[in-house]
Amino acid sequence: MEELDLTSLIDQAKKATQTPIQRVQPVEKVKPAEKEVQIAFYLPKSLYKKVKQRALQEEVSIKSILTLSIEKYINDIS
């Protein structure tokens, strides 16, 4: 077998490796999250299953569906 010149291989690898160029962008300021309270209540099982199924289909949390539903209800009656 032919003996390899490791120094030349290392030099070739160093030349082939390029430093990635990264662009720095400022992070958008996000509003601080509103404080939350924990509540507990009972739902009919059939309604819970529907909400859970919809959350899975839309890839959102059950919490977000309930929050949006309550906000819509409050806005509609105002």
Side-chain angles (χ1 to χ4, degrees), residues 30-36:
V30 179
K31 285 198 281 184
E34 187 176 340
K35 288 188 177 184
E36 297 179 336

Side-chain angles (χ1 to χ4, degrees), residues 8 21-22 32 36 41 46 48 50 71 73 76:
S8 66
I21 298 173
Q22 297 179 345
E36 297 179 336
F41 57 92
S46 60
Y48 174 72
K50 289 176 186 177
E71 286 175 347
Y73 175 80
D76 287 351

Side-chain angles (χ1 to χ4, degrees), residues 55-73:
L56 288 171
Q57 288 172 350
E58 295 183 12
E59 297 181 351
V60 296
S61 67
I62 293 173
K63 175 187 168 188
S64 66
I65 290 176
L66 295 177
T67 301
L68 288 172
S69 299
I70 294 168
E71 286 175 347
K72 184 179 182 326
Y73 175 80

Side-chain angles (χ1 to χ4, degrees), residues 3 11 13 15 19 24 30 47 52 56:
E3 194 172 310
D11 290 338
K15 289 177 185 175
T19 304
V24 177
V30 179
L47 179 59
K52 186 174 181 178
L56 288 171

